[in-house]
Amino acid sequence: MSSGNGYKVIGTRPIRHDGVDKVTGRAVYGGDTRLPGLLYGQVLRSPHAHAHIKSIDTAKAVALPGVKAVLTGADLPEAGDTIVDLGEGPARLKYMSDNVLATDKVLYSGHPVAAVCATSVHIAEEALDLIEVEYEVLESVLNVREAMQEGAPQLHADMTTQEFGEDTGKTSNLATHFQHKLGDPDQAFASADVVIEREFQTATVHQGYIEPHNATAMWNSDGQITIWTSTQGSFTARAQTGAVLDVPVSKIKVVPQEIGGGFGGKIPIYLEPIAALLSKASGQPVKLIMTRPAVFESTGPTPGSYVKIKMGANKDGKIVAADAYIAFESGAYPGGLVGAAAMCVFSCYDIADGLIDCYDVVLNKPRSFAYRAPGSTQVAFATEHVVDLLAAELGIDPLEFRLKNSATTGTRRIDGVVYPKMGCKEVMEAIRDSDHYKSAAPSGSNQGRGISVGYWFNVGLQSACTASVNSDGTVSLTEGSTDIGGSRTSIAMQFAETLGLTAEDVKPQVVDTDSIGHTDVTGGSRVTYATGWAAYKAALDVQEQLCARAAQLWEIEADQVKFEDGTFSSGDKSYTFKELAGHLDETGGPVIGRATVNPDSGVGGSFAANIADVEVDPETGKVQVLRFTVIQDAGRAIHPSYVEGQMQGGSAQGIGWALNEEYYYSDNGHLDNSSYLDYRIPTCLDLPMIETIIVEVPNPGHPYGVRGVGEANIAPPPAAMANAIGNAVGVRPQELPMKPGRIVAALATGG
Amino acid sequence: MSKAHVQTTINGEQTEFLCEPRQSLLEVLRETLGFTGTKEGCNDGNCGACSVTVDGVLIDSCLMLAVEADGVEIGTVEGLATPESLHPLQQKFLEHAALQCGICTPGFLVASKALLDHNPDPSEYEVRHWLAGNLCRCTGYDKIVRAVLDAAQEVRASA
Amino acid sequence: MKDFEYCAPSTLREAVALKAEKGEAARILAGGTDLIVQLRGKRFAPDRIIDIKNVPEANELSYGPRRGLVIGAGVPCWRFYNDADIAERYPGLIDSAAIIGGIQIQGRATFGGNLCNSSPSADSIPSLITHSASCNFAGPNGKRSIAVEDFCTGPGANVLEPGEILVSLQLPTAKKNTGCHYQRFIPRNEMDIAVVGVSSHVVLANRGKEFKAVRIALAAVGPIPIYASAAGEGLVGKTVSDEAIAAAATAAQEVATPISDMRGPAEFRTHLVGVLVKRTLEGAIARARGKFVANAVQEAAG
Amino acid sequence: MPIAWIPSLMQKLTGGQHQIEVEGETVRQVVEALEVLHPGFKDRIVEDDRIKTEIAVAVDGEVVASGLRAKVGPESEVHFLPALAGG
């Protein structure tokens, strides 16, 4: 099998190494953890969106037969006023701790206030009903612009607005304000022939992974804590748990179990410290699994947003100026996602002058966290809408207009950064060259086609790999990146390619925090890039050691041995990798390759694009996707099937975000739709086949040219859908979701 | 409350267990009997991760009490493969890369098996209709639908 | 969830005695797809659950030219939505059965349970109302029957006495020149609760050109499923026409009293009543004229 | 000489200057040089001898993990950005 790209393994489609376990039900996910003497935990959550906790009385719960321990926020160590960066962006430890278990105040409906463990999950649940919490209910605020107003209910009495390293000393719900400015936007707008400005709103949406959060912990009497959990980053989970429990990381071992989806939402911790403290109190292992309503009410959604975009262009079709005002709902505690939005908002275009003004705002919703290209979708929805309007106003085809203004290698973004080699234009050209775009747009009544592009910058961070050569010529590869979507295989393939092995010759394994070097989260589209790079370097280490072993056997110097196409040779003597692996015992014993990376440069960003054909039922406002294509620059597709899978998955999530997904709060701040029944992620019947086109503009910063593909694909879909709806019925929605009632209302008023 | 004694058949094997009436079939399968291949996603019948068959009928095991299982035959994901080989559906899911995180996969496999037992030659729309009660957040369903259609063809060819 | 006593009686008499003994503190378990969710959500905390699936009367599914169709309260949807005879005689019923939840839910859920759950958005109730179905109860004081449109009294509330059990549903014999159609509007294509549901049932005369009898019922636009009698009766004797249908749609909108919630705003729901009355009347008319109008299962089968 | 790009909200400190050429072979030297030109600059960026956690430094367009120790070339651009979270 060969991929036709000059590689033997990269670009092929082997069966994933963990596949059989996952289709037979044998793979052990976090919730499947079973231990002798296991107790079951449950968490009591606030019914109020905003309240002071006046008192908590747990006496009746403690007295219930079968209950082994009860916990409140008072049982967590006092969190100092320190800032910690534990792999999911900087945060105040106090905020992180209070989000695990509230102390003085609850800040959202679903905020944890107490926890119980018992001999059965049902007894634990009965015990929750016996905990008496007295609240003083406060007025809540649930919309970003209302939260920014003077006199809005204030969540944190001591929170002051930070302006790029400066504390303004002003208390409000505005956590952070920052700006990027390039050139002279005022003058550039004055020179523009056409200027279009629009306002946009997007609802809070959830990552929606099917597996609920879970954690099982055993706190041994010697102070050693073991935590079995589903996490995107075992080291990050360890660091966060250690910080909240005020325990050194060396006392904690995190065993990452298989993880049932994350999309950014399983980077933060929720249950881990609770499970640990309940175990400490009971002396037994404790397992907690979140209920589905709790997952929606209490775990990281992505921010709702208010965005205003102004763009100006010349008659010849060049965009000359762009302004963005971006306000993000960070939820109950400050977050860092609006920074990413700022980097993405005009990322697809070459614009010389612009201003990006950003606000991070707290309000009475769960603390928002990363969700696949966090922040990019909200702003792509806005920008791509205005780009279509500009093209229409200028009488230029929207794709031609995008191509004419495409950012490219060397373009300076408004946040100042200059692009290294990248594939924005290639992705746009792939729209033009696709079967889908070349086929006639659907021409039935209320049918239309829309396009859009989007970006995610990807990250590098730390990874480690070790590789033990087995005597039969296979290699056991250990790594610390938890595998959410087949990354074991994409890492093993890079290792195999480097040593001339087959993918099947490499046995990849995700191990616990005591068994591998620090490895950052499975997020930021970094695993195939950075852990793959570590695997590549570990393979080179193995290669070097094996050259020395061959040299020993041939009684020559190591530099006289060369390695090519999986064979070690010197003159007419040669060993295949497998042959040489059989001689390790006689040449000094085992060979273990190892490598770590923490790339300072070379992270290649990825662009994605969509073509969407839709039909709108004007009587009901319902939108059907008739045909959908996703295009993305993968740099180099290691395992094309899983690259396509990422692209299709991001598309489906983006379509859900576009059409129906939203947090629906009642006026008193209760989340009304905390179930899969009413939080409507797309079903099988809601989607067509999703066509994929992989563009490969190799990333010069990676040995195999990899760009992470996990995220950029969620940025363009809502915009493509809005543009398609606009072309179908003449009304281009400015608010997500574009749900049926909203479409009907817009059609009735003509906009 | 006293525990109920339930006799049932799981993947062809006679099994007995004790349970409280309030325990769901899902809970007993996973926590009492160790059939953790059947997953919990929502515990209210809206995701299909806990799909099993009861006397050949596809159901969500979170919405059936374990005591109701007395005298029935239950099929779970653990019963799909033989010691010799995977079921064609399992094989095609692997070949088509029809899973990413894999948490929904057992439910999809059990549901797809029930579909093929009921209709060995489904159209794409029939596959999508039948599987609408199984949510997947990773794949966008494309590769799942292709895998089921491909497996159906293989099952028909070998029938 | 509080624990409870589980009983699975094998006779109706036994079931009634178990229910009568506990009254409100006992709940009937048929498919369980609503009940078990509600127990978990602590909407009910009964002492006793009575599983009626072993009661022969609750398991009956039969059709006779005189009795019509009898659906036992414990009969799950899957047992009758693939039945060609039932589909032909009561197509509107199948429209409902084929869209309650997904395939897994249909493997357990029953019309009897859907009715006793008495949700205003229940998909089966408008179809039962327009088919002129009646409910058969058994209780300590014997048996009684009432029309389905008189069953629900409020969200989650109905006329069942604390000691009574719904045994079966009964639909009159299907007549010629009759058609029925149920549609609901949901934002997705499956797995949602109706934003609005409408069933229309027509009997046509004069070679299918004239309305002889019409029944229209609405879901999710009031505290109970609404029998829009005036909307249907207004059509009787009229020639089948777009204008007549539009007038019925307007009449139905007048009796709708929807609320705004996560499933849709009130004005949108009222608007949808008009859309769906029109669409279901057209479907029912087509079926009455012998034309094929697919239900969800048939749609899937192409 | 490398060019430091000054975030717009810090330009009050630099008298409105957007870009400043300064000597330096590492981010630390660039920041020290900026501090000499515009006292107070360092306190906005650095805390406990590290780049503040809420701020990221990019050299030639790439956010650097090595912070103050990151190498800066004679033609390099240095940007100060808000720190980010990934998905």
Side-chain angles (χ1 to χ4, degrees):
Chain A
M1 196 157 60
S2 167
S3 60
N5 58 7
Y7 294 116
K8 289 200 170 71
V9 179
I10 289 172
T12 64
R13 301 173 187 245
I15 285 179
R16 62 193 281 170
H17 298 80
D18 53 338
V20 170
D21 280 350
K22 285 182 176 162
V23 297
T24 53
R26 278 196 288 271
V28 177
Y29 290 75
D32 303 336
T33 308
R34 305 176 86 221
L35 294 166
L38 188 63
L39 301 176
Y40 297 83
Q42 289 267 326
V43 174
L44 181 69
R45 294 172 189 279
S46 167
H48 307 294
H50 196 189
H52 284 296
I53 299 173
K54 297 188 77 175
S55 66
I56 305 180
D57 184 346
T58 61
K60 287 180 189 157
V62 172
L64 185 71
V67 170
K68 298 290 183 179
V70 182
L71 202 65
T72 70
D75 296 305
L76 289 178
E78 185 87 19
D81 188 24
T82 49
I83 304 282
V84 287
D85 187 355
L86 303 170
E88 46 89 43
R92 271 176 76 180
L93 181 56
K94 167 85 173 140
Y95 292 158
M96 187 185 286
S97 181
D98 274 355
N99 200 36
V100 169
L101 273 175
T103 47
D104 49 342
K105 252 182 132 182
V106 289
L107 298 172
Y108 53 93
S109 164
H111 199 153
V113 292
V116 173
C117 69
T119 50
S120 97
V121 71
H122 299 286
I123 294 172
E125 195 198 322
E126 285 181 48
L128 295 186
D129 291 342
L130 301 174
I131 297 173
E132 291 162 5
V133 186
E134 195 186 341
Y135 295 99
E136 178 194 340
V137 178
L138 303 168
E139 200 186 334
S140 56
V141 60
L142 295 157
N143 173 281
V144 65
R145 277 189 295 171
E146 287 166 22
M148 288 171 84
Q149 280 167 11
E150 289 281 341
Q154 194 169 329
L155 274 73
H156 304 282
D158 60 345
M159 195 186 78
T160 51
T161 305
Q162 303 294 311
E163 278 197 337
F164 213 91
E166 184 177 43
D167 188 338
T168 62
K170 189 169 183 299
T171 58
S172 76
N173 292 322
L174 179 54
T176 309
H177 169 225
F178 67 87
Q179 273 183 359
H180 297 297
K181 191 172 172 188
L182 183 69
D184 187 343
D186 289 343
Q187 196 186 352
F189 273 114
S191 76
D193 295 313
V194 180
V195 175
I196 290 178
E197 183 175 30
R198 290 286 185 278
E199 292 175 279
F200 302 89
Q201 290 179 74
T202 70
T204 307
V205 300
H206 195 268
Q207 294 84 346
Y209 32 77
I210 307 297
E211 178 203 43
H213 292 263
N214 56 77
T216 305
M218 180 64 215
W219 191 317
N220 264 346
S221 49
D222 62 0
Q224 289 292 331
I225 304 165
T226 306
I227 297 171
W228 297 263
T229 184
S230 301
T231 175
Q232 286 180 244
S234 47
F235 287 88
T236 304
R238 183 177 72 165
Q240 294 176 71
T241 307
V244 170
L245 295 177
D246 195 20
V247 163
V249 290
S250 59
K251 293 280 187 192
I252 303 173
K253 175 167 84 174
V254 171
V255 184
Q257 307 286 63
E258 295 299 336
I259 169 171
F263 317 112
K266 286 182 186 157
I267 296 172
I269 54 158
Y270 298 98
L271 299 173
E272 287 83 350
I274 295 174
L277 286 176
L278 287 171
S279 173
K280 186 183 189 187
S282 63
Q284 287 172 255
V286 177
K287 174 159 91 172
L288 289 104
I289 298 179
M290 244 186 233
T291 64
R292 178 52 54 179
V295 172
F296 281 117
E297 285 169 6
S298 315
T299 72
T302 203
S305 72
Y306 168 79
V307 177
K308 193 160 65 183
I309 298 286
K310 185 164 92 168
M311 296 177 87
N314 283 339
K315 281 201 185 94
D316 64 358
K318 182 79 191 81
I319 301 172
V320 295
D323 278 2
Y325 173 101
I326 309 171
F328 267 24
E329 297 175 351
S330 68
Y333 302 99
L337 303 178
V338 73
M343 290 170 74
C344 296
V345 60
F346 298 124
S347 54
C348 300
Y349 301 102
D350 181 5
I351 306 170
D353 299 274
L355 175 70
I356 302 169
D357 197 22
C358 296
Y359 300 84
D360 189 46
V361 182
V362 296
L363 38 53
N364 296 110
K365 293 184 180 180
R367 155 82 150 99
S368 67
F369 280 101
Y371 175 24
R372 205 169 199 151
S376 190
T377 306
Q378 290 94 327
V379 293
F381 173 63
T383 300
E384 289 297 288
H385 179 125
V386 173
V387 165
D388 252 30
L389 294 184
L390 273 179
E393 184 74 21
L394 291 164
I396 303 175
D397 171 78
L399 179 56
E400 197 185 309
F401 184 66
R402 284 175 172 83
L403 278 163
K404 194 179 176 73
N405 289 285
S406 170
T408 185
T409 306
T411 295
R412 185 181 297 284
R413 278 202 317 252
I414 292 172
D415 56 282
V417 167
V418 175
Y419 278 118
K421 187 166 172 53
M422 54 77 128
C424 184
K425 192 159 209 145
E426 287 81 352
V427 162
M428 291 181 184
E429 285 165 351
I431 300 178
R432 183 192 63 204
D433 299 338
S434 66
D435 286 345
H436 185 169
Y437 196 73
K438 285 192 279 191
S439 71
S443 56
S445 55
N446 305 306
Q447 295 181 339
R449 171 173 293 171
I451 60 167
S452 67
V453 289
Y455 172 70
W456 184 247
F457 42 83
N458 297 341
V459 303
L461 306 178
Q462 307 169 72
S463 281
C465 267
T466 62
S468 322
V469 180
N470 299 314
S471 60
D472 62 359
T474 63
V475 177
S476 301
L477 185 68
T478 58
E479 39 125 342
S481 288
T482 57
D483 181 355
I484 312 193
S487 58
R488 279 182 183 86
T489 301
S490 67
I491 292 161
M493 288 170 74
Q494 293 178 67
F495 184 90
E497 183 73 47
T498 312
L499 282 173
L501 303 172
T502 67
E504 294 75 16
D505 286 335
V506 183
K507 295 170 62 186
Q509 218 196 135
V510 179
V511 295
D512 64 61
T513 51
D514 282 354
S515 309
I516 188 76
H518 181 101
T519 297
D520 280 312
V521 295
T522 298
S525 301
R526 62 172 295 277
V527 170
T528 301
Y529 167 77
T531 311
W533 193 344
Y536 164 82
K537 283 177 67 181
L540 292 183
D541 188 18
V542 167
Q543 184 188 311
E544 194 183 324
Q545 294 182 52
L546 287 183
C547 282
R549 299 303 178 93
Q552 265 192 55
L553 289 165
W554 294 326
E555 298 180 11
I556 57 175
E557 292 302 313
D559 60 8
Q560 292 174 269
V561 179
K562 65 176 187 179
F563 176 77
E564 219 171 61
D565 284 344
T567 303
F568 298 87
S569 64
S570 182
D572 56 356
K573 297 187 289 283
S574 71
Y575 280 122
T576 64
F577 185 94
K578 282 191 180 2
E579 286 166 348
L580 187 53
H583 292 288
L584 298 185
D585 55 345
E586 54 195 284
T587 53
V591 164
I592 296 176
R594 61 184 176 81
T596 64
V597 298
N598 189 13
D600 249 1
S601 65
V603 181
S606 181
F607 290 83
N610 290 145
I611 311 162
D613 293 354
V614 305
E615 179 170 342
V616 181
D617 180 338
E619 286 189 327
T620 64
K622 190 160 160 175
V623 177
Q624 292 293 341
V625 186
L626 303 175
R627 188 175 177 186
F628 198 88
T629 296
V630 52
I631 300 159
Q632 190 172 354
D633 177 12
R636 175 77 65 205
I638 301 295
H639 192 310
S641 294
Y642 287 97
V643 171
E644 292 160 5
Q646 289 293 323
M647 293 162 67
Q648 291 166 330
S651 300
Q653 291 179 337
I655 291 169
W657 194 340
L659 294 182
N660 282 309
E661 292 182 35
E662 64 174 329
Y663 269 34
Y664 190 97
Y665 281 96
S666 62
D667 290 341
N668 64 6
H670 180 261
L671 183 61
D672 281 349
N673 63 335
S674 59
S675 74
Y676 278 133
L677 184 61
D678 289 308
Y679 184 89
R680 303 182 187 92
I681 76 171
T683 74
C684 212
L685 201 57
D686 298 317
L687 297 170
M689 291 297 187
I690 296 169
E691 296 165 51
T692 56
I693 298 170
I694 300 174
V695 171
E696 292 187 317
V697 178
N699 172 13
H702 184 274
Y704 291 119
V706 168
R707 297 172 190 277
V709 294
E711 298 177 88
N713 40 56
I714 200 175
M721 296 289 290
N723 288 337
I725 291 167
N727 293 330
V729 293
V731 168
R732 200 172 304 246
Q734 289 166 237
E735 186 172 1
L736 295 181
M738 301 179 282
K739 55 186 177 180
R742 209 167 260 164
I743 300 270
V744 165
L747 285 171
T749 60
Chain B
M1 295 288 163
S2 63
K3 289 197 171 189
H5 177 217
V6 177
Q7 287 184 295
T8 187
T9 304
I10 303 178
N11 301 327
E13 291 284 326
Q14 289 203 348
T15 308
E16 295 176 64
F17 59 83
L18 293 174
C19 68
E20 292 178 5
R22 63 180 164 182
Q23 289 185 283
S24 68
L25 177 60
L26 173 64
E27 184 189 341
V28 167
L29 280 173
R30 288 176 53 79
E31 300 294 337
T32 308
L33 302 173
F35 286 92
T36 53
T38 304
K39 303 301 182 190
E40 176 185 320
C42 68
N43 217 22
D44 64 4
N46 284 295
C47 79
C50 67
S51 295
V52 300
T53 55
V54 170
D55 292 334
V57 176
L58 183 66
I59 69 147
D60 289 323
S61 59
C62 70
L63 292 188
M64 177 166 160
L65 300 175
V67 287
E68 293 181 83
D70 198 47
V72 304
E73 290 202 20
I74 295 164
T76 74
V77 69
E78 287 91 347
L80 289 184
T82 64
E84 293 77 36
S85 65
L86 297 176
H87 186 278
L89 278 162
Q90 293 171 311
Q91 186 61 34
K92 291 300 177 189
F93 266 57
L94 294 179
E95 289 172 14
H96 285 266
L99 58 147
Q100 285 179 30
C101 81
I103 196 83
C104 70
T105 307
F108 268 97
L109 287 166
V110 169
S112 301
K113 166 76 162 45
L115 167 64
L116 299 190
D117 288 347
H118 164 86
N119 175 5
D121 190 11
S123 65
E124 180 193 331
Y125 191 88
E126 281 175 295
V127 171
R128 290 185 181 277
H129 180 259
W130 185 275
L131 296 177
N134 292 82
L135 296 180
C136 170
R137 189 61 159 171
C138 294
T139 65
Y141 305 104
D142 181 300
K143 292 180 188 302
I144 293 175
V145 174
R146 289 179 201 277
V148 174
L149 290 168
D150 196 9
Q153 194 174 19
E154 183 160 315
V155 169
R156 288 197 305 279
S158 64
Chain C
M1 169 189 338
K2 174 173 94 85
D3 211 3
F4 45 78
E5 176 196 11
Y6 170 84
C7 310
S10 52
T11 66
L12 185 56
R13 178 191 296 265
E14 205 185 334
V16 168
L18 285 164
K19 177 75 170 122
E21 184 188 357
K22 288 277 182 182
E24 302 273 16
R27 305 280 314 181
I28 301 296
L29 172 67
T33 54
D34 282 321
L35 180 67
I36 293 173
V37 174
Q38 289 161 356
L39 294 175
R40 273 190 201 121
K42 297 177 187 160
R43 189 163 140 195
F44 305 113
D47 298 334
R48 175 182 288 170
I49 293 289
I50 304 163
D51 184 349
I52 55 159
K53 289 190 288 293
N54 293 338
V55 172
E57 291 88 338
N59 253 322
E60 181 179 356
L61 180 66
S62 66
Y63 178 78
R66 293 180 57 184
R67 278 186 83 202
L69 180 66
V70 177
I71 305 171
V75 174
C77 293
W78 71 269
R79 270 185 64 196
F80 59 96
Y81 68 59
N82 281 326
D83 184 317
D85 282 345
I86 297 177
E88 194 189 323
R89 293 189 175 99
Y90 304 97
L93 213 58
I94 309 300
D95 291 332
S96 295
I99 59 176
I100 293 177
I103 302 294
Q104 287 89 337
I105 299 295
Q106 292 158 18
R108 302 292 289 175
T110 66
F111 270 26
N114 202 226
L115 183 62
C116 291
N117 189 48
S118 301
S119 163
S121 59
D123 284 312
S124 74
I125 302 177
S127 294
L128 291 168
I129 289 173
T130 58
H131 275 104
S132 305
S134 54
C135 338
N136 300 320
F137 307 148
N141 302 320
K143 296 182 178 176
R144 66 175 176 130
S145 289
I146 68 158
V148 169
E149 62 254 39
D150 299 325
F151 181 79
C152 297
T153 55
N158 55 53
V159 300
L160 276 172
E161 295 293 330
E164 267 183 329
I165 294 174
L166 174 74
V167 180
S168 62
L169 299 160
Q170 195 157 355
L171 282 71
T173 313
K175 296 198 176 63
K176 278 188 184 157
N177 303 318
T178 297
C180 182
H181 194 206
Y182 175 73
Q183 277 195 16
R184 67 174 177 194
F185 178 77
I186 55 173
R188 290 186 291 191
N189 290 333
E190 260 290 0
M191 300 301 290
D192 280 345
I193 299 292
V195 177
V196 173
V198 175
S199 179
S200 293
H201 184 282
V202 302
V203 184
L204 300 182
N206 193 10
R207 291 190 205 152
K209 287 183 191 153
E210 194 182 297
F211 292 108
K212 188 174 169 191
V214 182
R215 289 170 70 87
I216 297 170
L218 318 174
V221 288
I224 58 169
I226 295 171
Y227 172 41
S229 54
E233 281 155 17
L235 288 176
V236 174
K238 293 221 170 89
T239 304
V240 174
S241 68
D242 290 348
E243 294 72 30
I245 290 171
T250 305
Q253 284 174 314
E254 279 165 13
V255 297
T257 56
I259 56 165
S260 291
D261 66 7
M262 62 200 163
R263 291 170 188 149
E267 58 275 26
F268 178 53
R269 287 180 144 144
T270 303
H271 164 81
L272 286 174
V273 167
V275 174
L276 293 184
V277 166
K278 179 171 69 99
R279 291 183 182 183
T280 56
L281 272 173
E282 285 165 357
I285 290 162
R287 282 174 172 167
R289 289 170 174 170
K291 294 203 183 81
F292 176 76
V293 178
N295 62 43
V297 169
Q298 291 160 334
E299 226 166 69
Chain D
M1 281 201 290
I3 299 174
W5 284 61
I6 310 302
S8 55
L9 292 178
M10 288 180 69
Q11 289 169 11
K12 262 186 278 180
L13 208 60
T14 62
Q17 273 185 280
H18 304 184
Q19 292 136 41
I20 303 177
E21 274 197 321
V22 284
E23 294 284 356
E25 292 178 1
T26 62
V27 170
R28 185 192 307 281
Q29 289 170 6
V30 168
V31 170
E32 295 292 354
L34 288 167
E35 173 68 18
V36 171
L37 291 174
H38 303 290
F41 190 93
K42 187 178 168 185
D43 273 357
R44 294 281 293 272
I45 302 289
V46 178
E47 190 170 359
D48 296 338
D49 202 34
R50 295 184 73 152
I51 299 289
K52 286 185 178 176
T53 46
E54 66 267 35
I55 290 170
V57 176
V59 178
D60 297 328
E62 309 235 28
V63 173
V64 292
S66 45
L68 289 170
R69 296 186 314 283
K71 293 271 181 287
V72 176
E75 306 288 313
S76 285
E77 290 184 359
V78 178
H79 292 265
F80 302 97
L81 304 166
L84 301 164

